[in-house]
Amino acid sequence: MARNQPNIIITGTPGVGKTSHAELLAQSTGLKHLSINQIVKERHCHERWDDELQTWIVDEDKLLDVIEDEVKTGGYIIDWHACDLFPRNWIDLVVVLRTDSTNLYDRLQARGYPERKLQENLDSEIMEVVAEEAREAYDEECVVELWSRTAEEIEGNVERIEQWVHNWRTDNQGHQEGDSANKK
């Protein structure tokens, strides 16, 4: 099935600004914000609750089954801290948000993260875990890394992605069925 709207993943370590970006982009582009955290909770796509990390352990197979029909139609901004589980043919752009460790520490501490969870996420950001997963899972031209340290950077990122969406729509107008997967 051809898509007439792109699918974008906004990913990165928890606390880098994924939801802020996704909400602003949904408002400005008309794409739908798909918060995977909400889907996991609302549609019971989890195996169990981890008390120590204070998080759900996600059943990735169930998650993919639950969202497949929606996402395949296009027009979604997928907001989650992981990206490599989503099939390549679902995704047109992967945006990996980054921030420095001081900003990240402050943001996660303000959320009340337990020390172990906070440290794991800091280590993940420092070691570029999410960025590396994105580079390994998707074609190079589909992945972009953007800094998300300040309101000005967020605004600039949103404008850049809005332009990308505009270009995708222009480039993919009138494409026949099956011809729009992984255009960018």
Side-chain angles (χ1 to χ4, degrees):
M1 168 189 252
R3 288 186 275 117
N4 61 7
Q5 296 291 329
N7 285 322
I8 301 170
I9 297 176
I10 305 289
T11 191
T13 306
V16 295
K18 296 179 297 295
T19 300
S20 297
H21 279 78
E23 288 174 351
L24 289 168
L25 284 164
Q27 290 173 2
S28 65
T29 64
L31 300 176
K32 295 175 232 79
H33 177 199
L34 190 65
S35 168
I36 298 301
N37 284 336
Q38 285 182 317
I39 298 293
V40 166
K41 293 173 199 167
E42 292 170 4
R43 301 189 194 175
H44 309 287
C45 299
H46 48 79
E47 296 171 3
R48 63 182 171 79
W49 176 257
D50 184 315
D51 283 327
E52 186 176 2
L53 294 177
Q54 296 182 8
T55 191
W56 290 105
I57 303 302
V58 176
D59 181 336
E60 292 180 357
D61 291 331
K62 183 173 183 181
L63 171 64
L64 292 175
D65 288 345
V66 162
I67 66 171
E68 180 175 13
D69 290 340
E70 292 169 82
V71 174
K72 278 187 164 182
T73 65
Y76 285 91
I77 301 166
I78 300 170
D79 165 4
W80 206 34
H81 64 271
C83 63
D84 56 347
L85 71 146
F86 302 103
R88 282 182 181 203
N89 64 345
W90 290 11
I91 305 304
D92 300 289
L93 178 67
V94 179
V95 177
V96 181
L97 297 176
R98 305 291 312 277
T99 195
D100 59 70
S101 55
T102 302
N103 272 336
L104 187 60
Y105 182 87
D106 292 344
R107 292 173 185 176
L108 297 180
Q109 191 173 47
R111 291 181 179 183
Y113 273 34
E115 187 60 34
R116 179 173 166 221
K117 185 175 182 178
L118 193 148
Q119 194 58 53
E120 281 185 14
N121 285 299
L122 282 171
D123 291 346
S124 177
E125 182 64 16
I126 291 166
M127 300 299 293
E128 300 184 13
V129 171
V130 178
E132 184 62 29
E133 288 173 354
R135 289 189 293 264
E136 289 177 4
Y138 299 94
D139 296 335
E140 183 179 335
E141 63 271 12
C142 294
V143 179
V144 62
E145 292 181 49
L146 301 174
W147 285 98
S148 176
R149 296 169 291 208
T150 65
E152 292 79 16
E153 285 179 336
I154 293 170
E155 183 178 320
N157 293 343
V158 168
E159 289 172 2
R160 182 175 174 181
I161 299 165
E162 287 170 348
Q163 184 61 53
W164 181 91
V165 170
H166 172 79
N167 293 343
W168 189 98
R169 288 171 171 159
T170 300
D171 292 347
N172 289 278
Q173 283 180 344
H175 279 239
Q176 298 300 314
E177 186 169 311
D179 196 29
S180 65
N182 266 341
K183 276 291 174 191
K184 292 282 175 192

